[in-house]
Each structure stands twice: as structure tokens, then as C-alpha cells.
Amino acid sequence: MMNQSNKPVVADSQLASDNQIPHSVKIVEVGPRDGLQNEKQLIDVDTKIELINRLVDAGLKTIESGSFVNPQWVPQMAGSEDIFKRLEPRQSVTYTALTPNLKGYQRAQDVGVKEIAVFAAASESFSQKNINCSISESIERFKPLMELAKQDNIPVRGYISCVLGCPYDGDIGVNKVNEVAQQLIDIGCYEISLGDTIGVGTPAKVKHLLATIMQNIAIEKIAVHFHDTYGQALANIYAALQMGISVVDSSIAGLGGCPYAKGASGNVATEDVVYMLNGLGISTGTDLDKLITAGNFISTKLGRASASKVAQALS
Ligand code: HMG
Ligand code: MG
């Protein structure tokens, strides 16, 4: 019998010693950004702030809370300045934001953002559609931003989209992902988040990709970011855990998608990830019941049920 928080049925030590599975996982909550950027219904700043506060209260320590992209491209993120101005600083909580270029960096700095992320792609077509430039141009565009961030002591995460497939170019070779990952590390990103933007990956592909990337980049610097379009995200996370990955991106209530990847569904739901990790005896520092309540809060605002299976089962 499993209890509601899905406590493990075998000792933590036994599970952790089976393979390289980590004892704890850092969850990077991307719902307020990756999730809400793709909702047709615009969510007001008050509601976003309440969502973020609830996520903090549920124990999440890293929350992507906005995006300083061109609001004409992504109107859902237009209120990001207001959000960062109004978020209360909390001990050991980091509110992060996307910044595609110098202008985005400056906007973020004006409202005191303490950690940012740049985002590149492993596919040329996606890069053009998403940020209006080639992959190599994007890396060049990031360089002056990275210089400033270094001077300002702002850590920068690097995303790579389409690591397991592209909506325009189809299959993506692992060597291309590897090359972009190395370039992002070389310009100063402290961590690379590997994004399966359209959720087409399967566990064997995830393992193959990670095995390649890990030849050059320390495992501590690699995160996984899975969208659940084909229902593979939890299996893919489990495969990544078996490879020793300990940073996982997820989105409350499974919100999300990408405005420049047609058909991309939400990220894997945070509630579902936490349930699985609880069952594996892996600590996340989060409270599943509070996560479910936060997910139900935003889902109600969006006028639909949570996309988290765990929330559906336990609500
Ligand atoms: P551009 O048109 O090439 O930019 O867009 P530009 O430098 O030529 O400037 C054109 C206009 O945009 C100018 O305004 C600039 O001021 C303005 P004008 O003079 O014409 O009035 N502009 C800006 N305004 C506000 N903030 C800025 C900014 N930069 C320029 N930062 C740009 C290039 C990157 C800005 C544009 O393509 C853009 O905003 N793209 C956003 C795409 C996006 O947000 N996609 C979703 C996030 S990525 C994602 O979700 C994937 C991820 O989750 C991982 C995964 O799942 O794969 C991370
Ligand atoms: Mg994403």
C-alpha cells in the first residue's frame, strides 16, 4: 500500500545504492514562465505573484518567474518587470528570468533579477523562429550579456531547445547538441538545461544524449527539461536520474509549451515529478500537498483541471 505522499516501500539507502541515482534533486520550477508564456489567456500580475508565493511556500527554491523578451513576441511575459519589483526576497529562494539579449539583460537588471538564463537551440530552424537568428549568431549575441553578468556576479543558466527533435528540422544529432552545450559553457553558463521542447524523446535517446554530453561537461552542470507531449517525460527523467542527473525542470500543473513549437504541450508537471521522486526516496524539499494546491489554484484561474495526473488523483 502506498500512502498519499508516495513514501518509498524500500529503504532510501537501498534505492540510492542500486545505481547512480542521486539522493536529492533540485527542481527548477518553470511554470510561471515556460508555463504561462504559452497560455492564450493572459494571467494578471497579482495572480502570478500569488502563484509564485504558493510555490515558495510549497518548498521550491528556484522559480523561473518571468522573461525579458520582446513583449510583441510573447505578450504573456509583458508584466515581468512588475513581477520582479513586487516579489519579496526570501532566504534561499532564487527567482530567475529569461534574457535573450543585452536589452533583456538590462531590463532584468533594472528590477534586480539575481539569476538569468539565455536560450539557444540545437536546431537552426527553431533558432530562427524562436529568437530570429542563427545558432552561431545567438551565441555571439549572448557574449556581451555574459560579460556584464560576470561583472555583476549574476549566474547565467543556458538552455538548449530541441535537443531530441525539432518541429521544423526533425531529428537532431547529439553532436550538434554537444557543440552548442560546449559553446554555452565556454561563454560562462554555469549550467546547461537540455530541453526536449516538443517532448518526442524516449529514455534510450535521453541516455544516449546524456552519455555524449557528459564526456565534456560535468554532470553537476547538466539539467533536464522535458515537455510531456508524448507522455514520455517521467520515463525520460527516470532515465536521466539513472545517469546521475540531479537537476530537473518542471512546471506546476503541467502548464506550458512553447509559442514557437506548434503542438508542444506543457512541461512535465512538478506534482508528478515530486510524487515519483518521493517514491524513489529522493528528497526535493517540497510539500506535495501544497504543490497540488498551488497547481489547482492556477488551473482554476485558467478555467480547467490541472494537467498533473497526481493532482487529479489526489484532489
Ligand atoms: P529581433 O526582432 O531580432 O530583435 O528579436 P532586434 O534586436 O532586431 O529588435 C527589434 C525590436 O525588438 C526593437 O524594437 C527592440 O527594441 C525590441 P523597435 O526598435 O522595433 O521598437 N527588442 C526588445 N524589446 C524588449 N525586450 C527585449 C528586446 N530585444 C529586442 N529583450 C528577440 C529578437 C530575441 C528579442 C525576439 O526574437 C524575442 O523576443 N523572442 C522571444 C522568443 C521566446 O520568448 N520564446 C520562448 C522562450 S524559449 C522556450 O520556451 C524554450 C525553453 O523553455 C526550453 C525548451 O523547452 O526548449 C527555454
Ligand atoms: Mg520549455
Side-chain angles (χ1 to χ4, degrees):
M1 268 282 282
M2 201 66 86
N3 66 22
Q4 285 217 331
S5 61
N6 194 21
K7 290 280 184 286
V9 289
V10 291
D12 299 1
S13 54
Q14 187 187 334
L15 280 164
S17 64
D18 280 347
N19 40 44
Q20 308 172 54
I21 284 188
H23 291 271
S24 67
V25 157
K26 172 181 165 183
I27 292 185
V28 177
E29 170 59 47
V30 297
R33 191 281 303 172
D34 204 356
L36 295 182
Q37 78 179 5
N38 204 39
E39 292 296 336
K40 286 195 176 65
Q41 184 185 333
L42 292 184
I43 296 294
D44 59 76
V45 169
D46 284 350
T47 304
K48 286 184 184 177
I49 288 177
E50 178 160 359
L51 172 64
I52 294 165
N53 286 338
R54 284 171 181 254
L55 296 171
V56 171
D57 191 44
L60 289 161
K61 297 274 180 267
T62 306
I63 304 176
E64 209 168 65
S65 305
S67 180
F68 295 92
V69 297
N70 186 337
Q72 282 174 354
W73 283 58
V74 186
Q76 292 89 335
M77 292 290 109
S80 292
E81 268 93 352
D82 287 342
I83 290 171
F84 279 89
K85 274 186 206 156
R86 289 176 48 190
L87 280 174
E88 274 178 46
R90 313 263 194 125
Q91 211 178 3
S92 57
V93 173
T94 308
Y95 306 111
T96 69
L98 295 192
T99 55
N101 53 17
L102 263 181
K103 178 155 188 170
Y105 180 79
Q106 261 134 19
R107 286 177 58 204
Q109 283 313 288
D110 288 348
V111 289
V113 179
K114 300 252 180 331
E115 180 176 327
I116 58 166
V118 293
F119 48 105
S123 135
E124 284 297 348
S125 300
F126 187 81
S127 184
Q128 288 290 350
K129 302 258 186 209
N130 195 41
I131 50 175
N132 205 23
C133 64
S134 69
I135 299 169
S136 61
E137 283 165 348
S138 74
I139 302 289
E140 288 308 310
R141 216 182 247 185
F142 300 151
K143 283 182 182 169
L145 179 168
M146 298 299 299
E147 283 299 318
L148 282 183
K150 195 172 167 193
Q151 283 168 30
D152 298 338
N153 278 324
I154 301 291
V156 187
R157 185 177 217 228
Y159 279 104
I160 308 177
S161 288
C162 299
V163 299
L164 293 167
C166 168
Y168 313 104
D169 293 350
D171 287 344
I172 298 293
V174 289
N175 291 338
K176 185 65 198 174
V177 185
N178 202 19
E179 184 189 314
V180 179
Q182 195 57 61
Q183 287 171 329
L184 289 171
I185 290 285
D186 289 347
I187 62 171
C189 292
Y190 79 92
E191 179 174 273
I192 303 300
S193 176
L194 299 169
D196 184 9
T197 317
I198 53 169
V200 290
T202 50
K205 284 191 172 170
V206 169
K207 287 191 170 179
H208 177 53
L209 173 68
L210 288 172
T212 307
I213 306 283
M214 283 159 55
Q215 285 172 14
N216 303 316
I217 298 176
I219 187 121
E220 302 74 32
K221 297 186 174 196
I222 306 171
V224 289
H225 177 110
F226 294 129
H227 288 254
D228 203 28
T229 322
Y230 289 75
Q232 303 298 301
L234 280 182
N236 289 342
I237 291 171
Y238 188 61
L241 295 172
Q242 289 180 314
M243 300 290 287
I245 293 290
S246 62
V247 184
V248 174
D249 300 0
S250 63
S251 171
I252 197 74
L255 301 173
C258 177
Y260 298 98
K262 193 168 173 286
S265 74
N267 300 72
V268 64
T270 305
E271 301 90 316
D272 297 358
V273 174
V274 168
Y275 181 88
M276 180 177 80
L277 295 177
N278 283 351
L280 289 164
I282 297 172
S283 74
T284 61
T286 61
D287 178 319
L288 183 57
D289 291 337
K290 287 185 175 179
L291 288 173
I292 291 173
T293 308
N296 288 344
F297 162 77
I298 192 64
S299 300
T300 303
K301 293 284 179 188
L302 290 164
R304 60 164 192 254
S306 169
S308 156
K309 294 265 192 212
V310 168
Q312 287 167 21
L314 295 181
S315 294

